[in-house]
Amino acid sequence: GQQLNQSPQSMFIQEGEDVSMNCTSSSIFNTWLWYKQDPGEGPVLLIALYKAGELTSNGRLTAQFGITRKDSFLNISASIPSDVGIYFCAAFNFGNEKLTFGTGTRLTIIP
Amino acid sequence: GAVVSQHPSWVICKSGTSVKIECRSLDFQATTMFWYRQFPKQSLMLMATSNEGSKATYEQGVEKDKFLINHASLTLSTLTVTSAHPEDSSFYICSVETGTGGTDTQYFGPGTRLTVL
């Protein structure tokens, strides 16, 4: 099935650094979601975006819904050890709530 | 957001046996739930959409007779892997759809790790 293009695939950063990842699609979506998944756990919703151009924050996390409705990015500021995990973007359209997932970004913090 | 539980968390079974996985929406009446499968180092792949009181809708390539879904109430959906084989070993995750048109989202359960010997 279709997947969203998510980059980077992996990131290795030091604690305290900022992180940026993005997600692109060839199709338009009217809802974008960002999830974090820890090993052996289900994804946890971080941020939901419903309007093109919308910029939403959740603590140190900020996500934006691209104006073209074909992309979204997630920023994490001042990373801490518990930020380690895999981040997935996901998107869907009203009336067809099946999620299309991104390929994931694995975040590792170097001691 | 909705709180979703799954049972069991981990199951090991012999090849040829059937395994039932439960997904419960603890604080939300879910008309629609989704079942996903995730292989190591891969993203989630949708298997089927579970609709309360009606038949599930399966994604292309997912065998409906092998992966039986029952959504008998607004808080419970079950996935039964029939005649399991080693290639069915995977991480199975359910989700609950919440919200009304315009603010829909999905909350996921903690997942069930299935290992078929």
Side-chain angles (χ1 to χ4, degrees), chain B residues 2 10 14 68 112-113:
Chain B
W10 195 301
K14 292 182 178 179
L68 301 178
T112 296
R113 170 91 42 207

Side-chain angles (χ1 to χ4, degrees), chain B residues 4-103:
Chain B
V4 184
S5 70
Q6 284 184 237
H7 177 82
S9 301
W10 195 301
V11 56
I12 300 173
C13 69
K14 292 182 178 179
S15 185
T17 60
S18 295
V19 174
K20 180 186 284 188
I21 302 170
E22 294 183 347
C23 177
R24 291 185 183 274
S25 176
L26 301 182
D27 60 351
F28 183 82
Q29 293 189 320
T31 304
T32 303
M33 295 184 180
F34 300 90
W35 285 97
Y36 295 82
R37 181 166 51 183
Q38 185 178 33
F39 292 106
K41 298 187 185 298
Q42 294 188 20
S43 188
L44 283 75
M45 296 301 295
L46 180 65
M47 298 175 66
T49 303
S50 172
N51 302 296
E52 187 269 335
S54 64
K55 292 182 179 180
T57 304
Y58 291 80
E59 294 301 297
Q60 190 173 9
V62 178
E63 300 174 57
K64 63 179 182 181
D65 294 330
K66 180 170 183 62
F67 298 100
L68 301 178
I69 292 174
N70 185 293
H71 192 157
S73 76
L74 290 172
T75 59
L76 174 65
S77 175
T78 60
L79 168 68
T80 301
V81 183
T82 63
S83 187
H85 290 282
E87 57 266 31
D88 298 324
S89 298
S90 188
F91 193 50
Y92 291 86
I93 314 173
C94 68
S95 72
V96 167
E97 181 191 39
T98 69
T100 56
T103 60

Side-chain angles (χ1 to χ4, degrees), chain B residues 99-114:
Chain B
T100 56
T103 60
D104 294 359
T105 191
Q106 287 187 28
Y107 293 90
F108 286 84
T112 296
R113 170 91 42 207
L114 171 63

Side-chain angles (χ1 to χ4, degrees), chain A residues 17-33:
Chain A
E17 290 184 350
D18 297 342
V19 172
S20 183
M21 60 191 78
N22 66 67
C23 207
T24 61
S25 170
S26 57
S27 305
I28 289 175
F29 288 99
N30 52 36
T31 299
W32 286 82
L33 308 170

